[in-house]
Amino acid sequence: MEKLSFTLADRLYEYPCFELYQQFRPEIPVVFNEVLENRIDVDFSGEALVLTAVEKGEVVLQKEYDYQKKPLDKQSFKGFLYLFLCELFGHTLDWGTMTGIKPVKMAHNLLKEGLSPIQVKQNLMEKYQASEGKIELITGIAQREMGIIYPLSRKKVSVYVGIPLCIAKCAYCSFISTVADKKRTIVAEYLENLLYEVRLTGHYLKEKGIVADTLYIGGGTPSILDETQLETLLTALDEALDLRCLREYTFEAGRPETTNRRKLEILKAHGVDRVCLNPQTMNADTLAAVNRNYPPQAILEAYDTIRHVGFESVNMDLILGLNRESEEAFMSSLDQVIALRPENITIHCLAVKKGSAIKTATGRQVENPYSKVFCADIQKELGCKGYRPYYLYRQKYTQGNGENIGYCLEGKEGIYNILMMAEKQSIIGIGAGSSGKLYVPETDRFDRIFTVKDVKTYNERTENIMGKKMAQYEAFFNDRV
């Protein structure tokens, strides 16, 4: 396979080289200090930064950048490298040198410092060389999320309950999830251990006087639980957690074949007020191609049942790039979803990652079958129908170096999504694969708490895992609440 080598003496700049080059050529593996015919030489030895691109042993571009006026930190280096790569490849990037997955946080932090929206836009465009459109997008989202994030409270947390179990593995999925056996033995075992963690964690939080601000049950496919199991889990959460101040309670009923009226009635009775039904596409051929073996009509029927049971907040996901769908096919799915008028619509760009069936079968890296005009048309179409962006994040290896955007009708933001991406509140993760974040407002930092991803390992070592997690909670909360 073709590779590109960066040759440079200082390892400090290796990761900036890797992540920025990947934005231009994600299909090309990057290595360092290997003698290859295709390489970029980085030279700091003189009074200027010298970048030299070599292809098949021949110099194709060489540029000097004077950095003596200020120290060459990583961001400044990325700025010079970005200009060099733009000239090398003949095009710019909409996101400029922004390579992180949470660009909204940059706008949010500047607004919090007291800058006006205009100043924020000018600051970010100058620093990161991103397009005006992208900067306006993230600044607008940051402005809208402020009233949801603040005021901060040490006594409030969001809780995520993970159920990484599915009835089948979707071809695009790279998450560590387990396909349930026919007798559903692993589902029963997992629920038993999950309940242990729910009760232990809930008891600790109550002792500390900590309440749940939002509660999110995700997967996997949480609706894989049968009616009795679902009732048991929700009852345990009711009893274990202090839900008196709950602003949002979300349940992922993502696949229509695992969702029925009785389950939805149980959810409603326990206070769940937001349901995710995620078709990913309304195209029958694409559903079959990604191993979601149900007809589009099943999605419509499930949505109708959700509304009849009385839910007033519904999210629906679509993935741009599945099965190499045409622009017309994707817009057909979007139009059908918009016609249903869910409160939230999330548009994901397909990320072809290691661990997914698509990656294993095809070895595909990143393609860009869609024009910038088309991607702008998606946002325009949603805007015309009353949907506005309320949260955004990016992933590596996405179609066209794109982003994932959640849209909502007026006043119908998904609160947990905003809090998770803003990282201004502690997130308590419960269950296999759940990642917790313990927020320290004084330093605007957080400590991560990981749980093993594999369900089998979680089942075998629950008590040991919980011993370690409880020790981390105690060390964090003991002097802070």
Side-chain angles (χ1 to χ4, degrees):
M1 177 184 292
E2 181 184 1
K3 295 188 296 185
L4 178 117
S5 176
F6 275 92
T7 60
L8 68 170
D10 194 336
R11 295 196 63 184
L12 176 67
Y13 301 102
E14 285 187 0
Y15 193 70
C17 289
F18 168 79
E19 63 177 357
L20 191 54
Y21 190 85
Q22 287 280 295
Q23 305 298 307
F24 283 90
R25 297 293 301 275
E27 76 281 6
I28 302 298
V30 172
V31 296
F32 295 95
N33 296 319
E34 291 187 15
V35 180
L36 299 177
E37 286 192 324
N38 297 328
R39 66 182 190 274
I40 294 177
D41 297 327
V42 181
D43 184 5
F44 301 96
S45 61
E47 295 185 353
L49 167 65
V50 180
L51 299 174
T52 306
V54 179
E55 293 182 5
K56 297 181 179 179
E58 300 290 332
V59 174
V60 294
L61 180 66
Q62 185 175 76
K63 303 290 288 188
E64 290 189 9
Y65 300 95
D66 181 9
Y67 65 89
Q68 296 303 310
K69 295 179 182 179
K70 60 180 180 179
L72 188 65
D73 58 20
K74 285 195 286 187
Q75 184 56 47
S76 299
F77 172 76
K78 283 178 71 174
F80 291 133
L81 179 59
Y82 174 72
L83 294 174
F84 181 78
L85 294 175
C86 287
E87 186 169 345
L88 180 64
F89 294 117
H91 67 88
T92 61
L93 299 174
D94 282 345
W95 285 104
T97 63
M98 284 187 173
T99 54
I101 67 172
K102 298 182 177 72
V104 176
K105 281 189 66 177
M106 298 178 185
H108 173 276
N109 290 337
L110 293 174
L111 288 170
K112 190 61 179 172
E113 290 174 9
L115 274 66
S116 70
I118 292 176
Q119 290 174 318
V120 170
K121 293 173 189 176
Q122 291 173 339
N123 180 294
L124 294 177
M125 287 177 65
E126 179 180 341
K127 184 174 182 179
Y128 297 103
Q129 304 176 68
S131 72
E132 184 175 2
K134 295 301 184 187
I135 297 303
E136 285 185 348
L137 175 63
I138 63 175
T139 303
I141 292 173
Q143 286 178 270
R144 290 190 286 272
E145 73 182 15
M146 300 293 275
I148 291 173
I149 296 169
Y150 296 98
L152 303 179
S153 172
R154 295 175 181 273
K155 291 288 188 177
K156 291 182 179 181
V157 299
S158 286
V159 179
Y160 177 85
V161 180
I163 304 179
L165 296 160
C166 299
I167 59 170
K169 184 87 166 179
C170 297
Y172 55 82
C173 180
S174 61
F175 292 112
I176 303 296
S177 59
T178 300
V179 176
D181 55 294
K182 290 183 179 180
K183 293 184 178 180
R184 298 169 55 89
T185 303
I186 197 166
V187 177
E189 290 177 353
Y190 180 70
L191 178 60
E192 180 180 351
N193 292 303
L194 182 67
L195 292 172
Y196 174 78
E197 182 172 359
V198 165
R199 290 164 180 147
L200 195 61
T201 304
H203 177 72
Y204 178 81
L205 294 177
K206 276 187 175 180
E207 275 192 338
K208 293 294 184 181
I210 299 171
V211 302
D213 187 25
T214 69
L215 177 53
Y216 193 107
I217 303 176
T221 310
S223 47
I224 195 173
L225 300 178
D226 65 28
E227 290 84 349
T228 301
Q229 291 169 331
L230 184 59
E231 179 78 56
T232 300
L233 173 61
L234 297 181
T235 299
L237 290 167
D238 291 345
E239 295 171 350
L241 299 171
D242 188 337
L243 304 179
R244 290 174 297 173
C245 299
L246 201 64
R247 283 196 286 171
E248 180 184 81
Y249 194 166
T250 301
F251 185 89
E252 285 189 1
R255 295 178 66 120
E257 72 270 51
T258 63
T259 303
N260 60 40
R261 186 181 187 92
R262 180 58 190 142
K263 290 183 184 181
L264 292 166
E265 288 172 344
I266 292 169
L267 294 172
K268 186 70 175 173
H270 282 270
V272 174
D273 55 14
R274 182 171 179 268
V275 174
C276 299
L277 176 67
N278 303 327
Q280 317 302 7
T281 178
M282 298 297 288
N283 184 312
D285 291 340
T286 301
L287 286 170
V290 299
N291 201 31
R292 292 175 77 90
N293 298 309
Y294 52 79
Q297 182 62 29
I299 299 165
L300 302 177
E301 292 170 357
Y303 183 87
D304 188 57
T305 304
I306 289 169
R307 290 304 198 191
H308 273 91
V309 170
F311 288 98
E312 297 181 357
S313 184
V314 179
N315 174 76
M316 300 183 78
D317 286 1
L318 292 174
I319 300 178
L320 181 63
L322 285 180
N323 199 35
R324 295 183 172 91
E325 280 188 336
S326 67
E327 294 179 359
E328 292 76 17
F330 181 84
M331 288 305 295
S332 174
S333 289
L334 180 61
D335 289 343
Q336 291 178 68
V337 168
I338 289 175
L340 296 172
R341 299 299 286 173
E343 284 66 29
N344 300 160
I345 299 175
T346 307
I347 308 296
H348 297 272
C349 288
L350 176 64
V352 182
K353 294 184 178 181
K354 183 179 179 181
S356 68
I358 292 174
K359 176 69 174 175
T360 301
T362 67
R364 278 204 287 155
Q365 294 287 336
V366 180
E367 300 173 345
N368 188 15
Y370 308 109
S371 67
K372 288 185 179 182
V373 173
F374 172 67
C375 293
D377 285 346
I378 293 173
Q379 189 170 336
K380 185 183 300 183
E381 177 68 13
L382 284 159
C384 289
K385 298 301 170 59
Y387 292 91
R388 63 179 189 175
Y390 78 92
Y391 92 113
L392 175 153
Y393 68 100
R394 301 178 66 203
Q395 290 178 287
K396 294 180 180 179
Y397 314 120
T398 56
Q399 301 290 80
N401 192 28
E403 60 277 342
N404 303 321
I405 305 178
Y407 297 84
C408 69
L409 296 175
E410 184 68 33
K412 296 295 184 178
E413 293 86 355
I415 299 173
Y416 173 82
N417 291 332
I418 290 174
L419 295 175
M420 178 180 62
M421 289 298 161
E423 296 180 328
K424 303 294 184 184
Q425 182 185 79
S426 292
I427 308 290
I428 303 298
I430 297 177
S434 63
S435 177
K437 299 176 182 179
L438 303 179
Y439 180 62
V440 184
E442 293 82 3
T443 58
D444 194 31
R445 302 288 181 184
F446 57 86
D447 299 331
R448 289 187 181 273
I449 293 188
F450 295 103
T451 314
V452 295
K453 295 180 179 181
D454 177 57
V455 170
K456 185 175 183 292
T457 303
Y458 179 85
N459 286 342
E460 292 172 348
R461 298 172 51 203
T462 305
E463 290 190 14
N464 177 264
I465 291 165
M466 283 309 302
K468 293 180 179 179
K469 290 180 76 170
M470 294 309 298
Q472 289 178 283
Y473 291 145
E474 182 64 21
F476 180 82
F477 287 114
N478 194 40
D479 298 324
R480 290 185 170 89
V481 294

